[in-house]
Amino acid sequence: MRATLLYGAGDVRVENVPDPVIKLPTDALVRITASCVCGSDLWPYASMKPEEGPARMGHEFIGIVEDTGSEVTTVKRGDLVVAPFAISDNTCEFCREGLHTSCAHPQANFWDGEAEEGGQAEAVRVPLADGTLVKLPVAADSVLIPSLLTLSDVFGTGYHAAVAGGVNERTRVTVIGDGAVGLLGVLSAKRLGAEQIILMGRHKARTDLGREFGATDVVSARGEEGIEAVRELTGGHGTHVVLECVGNMPAYEQATGIVRPGGVISRVGVPQYEEAPIGFGSLFRHNIRLAGGPAPVRAYIEELMPDILGGTIEPGKVFDVTTNLDGVPAGYQDMADRKSLKVLVKP
């Protein structure tokens, strides 16, 4: 079959690789019908050393079950399923607490940690299929597929940012980042009833979509100028919750300047740093809390799916380009160059 591999920074190739096979009785084989390129894929795309590759790519997909191991009971051949970006058994102590990204099962993993598998491909072996896969009540050609695909990562991640931050109808929220996760953080904050949602972004097509998703204000400035603009919009105090959806140090520093005393910085952008200001002057003095982390999207799928099926929300609007596998290398470059927001892949 054909699959996407990253050989090093800027070097994405689509090549023939061995077909996946059932290895354990808890596995399923899935023929992928829709996948995508994630903003987090752009970090290794920008920096991976050739000696670290090649790496199979892709951790978001929908597909049709082609075969199952003997112990799989929740899905069967012919089912259309969506897979979260984390593999989990959905039964361990942490999964039962809604923290599937910390699943205690020995096979639990992130797709990016599965050396021989990836979602930007024609097929994939899914470990722990009973816990990982969720059946979808639509056909593979449904117009809802782009929105349902966001349940595998970006919508669940934006929602996790809002939930972890404690967003409700009494909170003012700032979202840092106008990528797909940031925009769906806006949608999530709106869904949770936030009274004011400030989106910090510089790309008009994206911030326009942010307004459609529920942003009440847009701030294009960054750094101290951006911090001042947000404070002006909030009576000088800042916002109760900041959803940091980028992951670099400037975004974190911006968040510390925007958050209101007693507020929460909720981070879901993959941090590209290990050390950051958390001391007396930055967080401690004003009782500011840090939250967030890798989103346990499996915990949110059943909660969010009905709104998509019912047509009350359309998170799939974050996809602005559709391609086949041949177009994936160009899709990476276009997303890196900010020419595309998020690329949908139909193998």
Side-chain angles (χ1 to χ4, degrees), residues 174 176 200 227 230-231 237-239 242 254-260:
T174 298
I176 299 177
M200 304 195 77
I227 291 169
V230 171
R231 290 194 169 272
H237 299 306
T239 54
V242 180
Q254 199 161 278
T256 62
I258 287 165
V259 66
R260 178 187 179 102

Side-chain angles (χ1 to χ4, degrees), residues 81-333:
V81 294
V82 62
F85 70 83
I87 298 161
S88 63
D89 65 10
N90 201 32
T91 60
C92 81
E93 178 180 355
F94 294 106
C95 287
R96 292 196 304 271
E97 294 175 357
L99 197 61
H100 296 72
T101 45
S102 295
C103 178
H105 195 286
Q107 293 176 52
N109 202 353
F110 295 105
W111 282 110
D112 295 343
E114 292 288 323
E116 298 179 355
E117 308 296 343
Q120 295 163 15
E122 293 180 321
V124 63
R125 177 183 69 88
V126 180
L128 301 179
D130 276 340
T132 302
L133 297 175
V134 179
K135 185 177 177 179
L136 297 174
V138 300
D141 59 354
S142 169
V143 296
L144 297 177
I145 290 301
S147 288
L148 292 168
L149 180 57
T150 66
L151 295 173
S152 67
D153 187 345
V154 286
F155 186 17
T157 295
Y159 191 65
H160 180 60
V163 170
V167 174
N168 58 41
E169 64 277 1
R170 296 179 299 278
T171 51
R172 298 172 183 260
V173 179
T174 298
V175 178
I176 299 177
D178 59 9
V181 170
L183 294 176
L184 293 176
V186 170
L187 182 65
S188 299
K190 176 69 173 179
R191 185 180 184 276
L192 293 169
E195 66 176 43
Q196 182 180 29
I197 304 170
I198 302 168
L199 172 60
M200 304 195 77
R202 309 184 75 176
H203 306 85
K204 187 175 185 302
R206 300 183 182 194
T207 56
D208 284 350
L209 181 56
R211 288 188 184 276
E212 182 180 341
F213 280 165
T216 57
D217 304 277
V218 171
V219 170
S220 60
R222 296 178 176 176
E224 289 300 323
E225 183 182 355
I227 291 169
E228 182 60 31
V230 171
R231 290 194 169 272
E232 287 181 5
L233 288 168
T234 57
H237 299 306
T239 54
H240 302 90
V241 184
V242 180
L243 309 186
E244 200 281 89
C245 302
V246 178
N248 60 23
M249 183 57 72
Y252 177 82
E253 291 172 339
Q254 199 161 278
T256 62
I258 287 165
V259 66
R260 178 187 179 102
V264 182
I265 298 171
S266 185
R267 301 180 305 159
V268 291
V270 180
Q272 301 304 299
Y273 52 85
E274 284 297 331
E275 296 182 358
I278 60 169
F280 187 90
S282 53
L283 300 187
F284 188 85
R285 166 66 179 85
H286 291 295
N287 285 278
I288 294 166
R289 290 160 288 155
L290 273 180
V297 300
R298 178 65 185 83
Y300 302 126
I301 290 178
E302 283 90 352
E303 177 183 353
L304 298 175
M305 191 188 303
D307 284 356
I308 294 174
L309 297 175
T312 58
I313 56 176
E314 194 176 345
K317 287 185 176 182
V318 296
F319 293 108
D320 57 350
V321 173
T322 300
T323 187
N324 56 21
L325 282 175
D326 290 328
V328 169
Y332 270 79
Q333 189 60 56

